[in-house]
């Protein structure tokens, strides 16, 4: 459950090819109604949503007998209130908490932990990811991180933490006006769910720039 469409597509694109049956909800109320009608085995619940938020939706779902069998996994952002959010998530009935930006492996490991699902897959090649990371690292020069582009990269850093794909893509297009290679690499990393790498590369470039 997440109020942002682009964020809901992350697990859908990741899990659909594996044969999982999936449903999505854009707020807590819709999520609660979907859970009652569908009775899923596991829910990934964004805590911060307008209207009925993730805390209240989890409390409502876990407060009913039929909701006890559903594993509730809270998704929380990385900020100063992270530990407080995690504690509150467990208090309302969440079974586990994943911090954004999460890695693909965390999603698979969580599903395996709570549903007992096993995976048989080929060892993926990291060559494409490494190529994109190298390309973006090479293009994040001190000149590109100058004052006029600083707000763009500040937004990109923030949205990489929040896994806000729509805004990541928007920032990538803003970067294109200054460096098309950096924009292409950033967009391609986002397409491959490598938002944590975008964050790491920006932070590394900022240290070099300083």
């Amino acid at each position: 459950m997440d109020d942002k469409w682009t964020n809901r597509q992350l697990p859908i694109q990741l899990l659909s090819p594996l044969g999982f049956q999936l449903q999505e909800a854009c707020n807590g109320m819709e999520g609660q109604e979907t859970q009652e009608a569908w009775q899923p085995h596991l829910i990934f619940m964004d805590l911060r949503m307008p209207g009925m938020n993730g805390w209240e939706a989890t409390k409502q779902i876990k407060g009913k007998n039929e909701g006890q069998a559903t594993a509730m996994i809270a998704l929380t952002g990385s900020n100063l209130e992270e530990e407080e959010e995690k504690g509150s998530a467990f208090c309302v009935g969440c079974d586990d908490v994943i911090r954004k930006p999460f890695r693909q492996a965390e999603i698979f490991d969580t599903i395996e932990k709570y549903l007992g699902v096993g995976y048989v897959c080929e060892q993926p090649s990291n060559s494409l990811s490494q190529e994109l990371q190298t390309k973006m690292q090479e293009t994040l020069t001190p000149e590109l991180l100058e004052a006029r582009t600083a707000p763009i990269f500040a937004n990109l850093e923030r949205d990489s933490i929040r896994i806000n794909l729509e805004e990541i893509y928007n920032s990538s297009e803003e970067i294109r006006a200054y460096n098309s290679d950096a924009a292409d690499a950033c967009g391609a990393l986002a397409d491959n769910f490598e938002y944590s790498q975008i964050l790491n590369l920006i932070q590394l470039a900022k240290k070099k720039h300083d």
Side-chain angles (χ1 to χ4, degrees):
M1 300 181 194
D2 197 301
D3 58 302
K4 294 182 175 60
W5 180 86
T6 50
N7 291 354
R8 297 199 302 273
Q9 299 315 296
L10 280 170
I12 290 176
Q13 293 176 20
L14 190 63
L15 300 175
S16 290
L18 303 182
F20 288 101
Q21 296 182 27
L22 306 172
Q23 291 280 351
E24 58 183 298
C26 63
N27 56 56
M29 181 65 71
E30 182 177 316
Q32 183 184 357
E33 293 172 353
T34 301
Q35 192 279 334
E36 291 176 352
W38 195 46
Q39 297 294 303
H41 295 99
L42 184 145
I43 293 175
F44 288 106
M45 176 72 73
D46 185 42
L47 293 178
R48 296 183 178 275
M49 294 184 289
M52 181 186 287
N53 59 37
W55 287 284
E56 182 60 28
T58 299
K59 184 177 180 180
Q60 294 287 340
I61 290 171
K62 284 293 193 177
K64 300 178 181 179
N65 291 333
E66 58 271 22
Q68 294 296 315
T70 299
M72 303 292 296
I73 313 301
L75 303 177
T76 179
S78 175
N79 52 47
L80 296 176
E81 299 177 346
E82 178 187 343
E83 291 304 316
E84 181 179 347
E85 281 193 351
K86 291 172 69 173
S88 299
F90 285 119
C91 286
V92 297
C94 288
D95 298 284
D96 214 331
V97 175
I98 295 179
R99 181 175 64 84
K100 298 178 181 179
F102 53 77
R103 296 174 292 108
Q104 294 183 36
E106 291 180 284
I107 298 297
F108 291 130
D109 289 346
T110 299
I111 293 174
E112 181 177 7
K113 177 180 178 180
Y114 288 96
L115 303 186
V117 174
Y119 309 98
V120 178
C121 60
E122 297 179 359
Q123 184 65 30
S125 171
N126 292 322
S127 58
L128 176 60
S129 176
Q130 187 60 52
E131 180 181 342
L132 293 171
Q133 291 174 46
T134 301
K135 184 177 181 180
M136 188 170 179
Q137 186 172 0
E138 290 175 347
T139 53
L140 292 183
T141 61
E143 292 76 18
L144 188 60
L145 292 172
E146 62 187 8
R148 60 178 176 171
T149 57
I152 300 175
F153 284 98
N155 290 339
L156 184 57
E157 183 176 11
R158 177 200 64 202
D159 294 319
S160 296
I161 292 173
R162 297 178 178 177
I163 318 181
N164 188 333
L165 284 183
E166 183 176 357
E167 292 303 323
I168 290 174
Y169 290 135
N170 288 341
S171 294
S172 297
E173 289 308 306
E174 291 186 60
I175 293 171
R176 187 173 302 282
Y178 302 95
N179 190 300
S180 60
D181 287 338
D184 290 340
C186 181
L189 285 170
D191 287 339
N192 286 277
F193 311 112
E194 298 282 0
Y195 31 78
S196 60
Q197 293 301 331
I198 297 174
L199 176 63
N200 292 338
L201 290 170
I202 293 173
Q203 293 176 341
L204 178 62
K206 286 171 62 178
K207 289 181 181 178
K208 292 181 178 179
H209 183 255
D210 295 338

